Amino acid sequence: MNKIILLSILSFFVITACEDKDNKSDAYGNFEATEVIVSAQANGQIIQFTPEEGVELALDETVGLIDTVVLQLNKKLMEQQKITIASQYKNLSSEIDVLKQQLTNAKINQDRILNLFSAGAATQKQVDDIVGVMDLIKKQISAANTKRNNISDQIDGVDVQIEQINEALGKCHIRNPQKGTVLVKYAETGEVTGIGRPLYKIADLSEMKLKAYISGTQLPNVKLGQKVEVLFDKSEKENTSVTGTISWISQTAEFTPKTIQTKQERVNLVYAIKVAVKNNGAIKIGMPGEVNF
């Protein structure tokens, strides 16, 4: 009787061990998503801020506004300066037109005097005087053109400053950089923020990635784009099975993370892989998962 009982116990453990071995997955890890921390790109008080944790946001959706009063005033000042400088440019252009007309008239006089001089009816002094008048007008035109070009450069400089202000005004509008779900909210309406201060964290949860670890002996049989079975907890005793695609394989070996395997296995070198899985909402960040090749 004792022998029969002993054999029964041994058989139970052998069967259990075989079942455990058969049920063991090829790799283990945790699910993760690409998380993006959205930060302020302007200084000032947050006038409007709509993101809420758990809410999905669209790409390029406007989710907030930082105070723009100071920037708007600076823009008005620059625009007024441009109007003032532009009026100077216009006045100089009119002055140059007058000088050009004077030069034309002087040229007519010069031709007349030269004809009279050829006929002996004008003196050399008259010829020299009209030449001097023309040279003076030409210098005045040259000086006016130089001044007008400088004013044109000033207008270009003001335009650049206005463009910079417009760029800063655009950054006061907080736009969502990627489609996803808000994970953490760091700021509230009415708070004063600054450039680089985190406002919220977002991640696209429609596709999760299971970061798992494989041994060196498994590595030759794993390829990018390979379809694999991914398991994650459905209940205490059941798993949900979905299909995943290997999207990344590490080129560097590392020791097995202590949070995943036993102490004995942690001394082994492994390679990290990532398996992309479509998520219907059941998979959460940090949830453990398994992979079968």
Side-chain angles (χ1 to χ4, degrees):
M1 179 63 70
N2 291 336
K3 289 182 179 179
I4 293 173
I5 294 173
L6 181 60
L7 288 173
S8 298
I9 294 172
L10 289 174
S11 299
F12 171 79
F13 281 112
V14 169
I15 293 171
T16 302
C18 290
E19 290 178 349
D20 289 342
K21 184 176 181 180
D22 292 339
N23 292 332
K24 188 175 181 181
S25 296
D26 295 323
Y28 299 84
N30 295 87
F31 287 99
E32 59 183 34
T34 302
E35 301 177 1
V36 175
I37 295 179
V38 182
S39 300
Q41 295 182 305
N43 299 318
Q45 186 179 30
I46 301 175
I47 304 300
Q48 178 187 358
F49 195 57
T50 59
E52 295 294 340
E53 294 177 1
V55 174
E56 291 188 6
L57 301 177
L59 172 66
D60 206 32
E61 178 180 347
T62 299
V63 297
L65 176 66
I66 298 173
D67 186 18
T68 62
V69 172
V70 175
L71 290 173
Q72 292 286 6
L73 291 175
N74 287 337
K75 182 179 179 180
K76 286 184 178 180
L77 178 61
M78 290 294 101
E79 289 173 341
Q80 187 58 49
Q81 287 184 4
K82 181 178 178 180
I83 292 173
T84 302
I85 297 173
S87 65
Q88 296 176 5
Y89 183 92
K90 185 177 180 180
N91 292 336
L92 271 175
S93 296
S94 299
E95 182 181 333
I96 291 172
D97 290 339
V98 172
L99 290 172
K100 287 182 177 179
Q101 185 60 50
Q102 290 177 358
L103 183 62
T104 299
N105 296 337
K107 181 67 170 61
I108 294 173
N109 289 333
Q110 183 188 39
D111 293 340
R112 184 181 298 114
I113 292 172
L114 287 176
N115 290 333
L116 292 173
F117 181 76
S118 299
T123 64
Q124 183 64 45
K125 181 178 184 306
Q126 289 176 306
V127 174
D128 295 340
D129 287 344
I130 193 62
V131 171
V133 169
M134 292 185 64
D135 289 342
L136 178 61
I137 295 174
K138 290 178 181 178
K139 290 179 181 178
Q140 289 176 335
I141 292 175
S142 178
N145 277 324
T146 301
K147 190 174 182 180
R148 187 174 64 172
N149 291 337
N150 291 336
I151 292 176
S152 178
D153 291 340
Q154 292 180 38
I155 293 175
D156 292 340
V158 173
D159 284 337
V160 171
Q161 293 181 63
I162 292 175
E163 288 179 8
Q164 290 175 337
I165 294 174
N166 286 333
E167 179 71 17
L169 284 170
K171 291 181 178 180
C172 288
H173 295 268
I174 305 168
R175 291 183 173 86
N176 186 51
Q178 73 165 43
K179 176 182 176 295
T181 301
V182 177
L183 303 179
V184 185
K185 185 179 180 181
Y186 300 116
E188 297 290 344
T189 301
E191 293 182 358
V192 176
T193 189
I195 297 175
R197 179 189 170 186
L199 300 175
Y200 63 96
K201 182 190 293 185
I202 190 171
D204 185 0
L205 303 182
S206 62
E207 182 178 270
M208 304 289 285
K209 290 187 178 179
L210 175 63
K211 186 175 183 180
Y213 297 85
I214 60 175
S215 66
T217 57
Q218 292 174 302
L219 185 62
N221 299 319
V222 177
K223 307 295 181 183
L224 287 175
Q226 178 179 342
K227 301 295 183 181
V228 297
E229 180 189 33
V230 176
L231 303 174
F232 58 91
D233 294 339
K234 181 178 181 181
S235 64
E236 186 176 348
K237 295 183 179 180
E238 292 182 296
N239 289 328
T240 298
S241 174
V242 295
T243 300
T245 305
I246 297 178
S247 60
W248 175 77
I249 303 173
S250 174
Q251 300 299 317
T252 306
E254 57 184 293
F255 287 105
T256 309
K258 60 183 179 181
T259 57
I260 294 181
Q261 301 291 355
T262 65
K263 185 174 182 179
Q264 182 178 1
E265 292 172 322
R266 288 201 299 267
V267 300
N268 297 328
L269 286 174
V270 294
Y271 294 84
I273 64 170
K274 289 185 180 181
V275 182
V277 179
K278 295 296 182 182
N279 182 22
N280 61 1
I283 304 175
K284 309 298 181 183
I285 295 176
M287 179 183 289
E290 306 173 17
V291 182
N292 287 317
F293 303 123

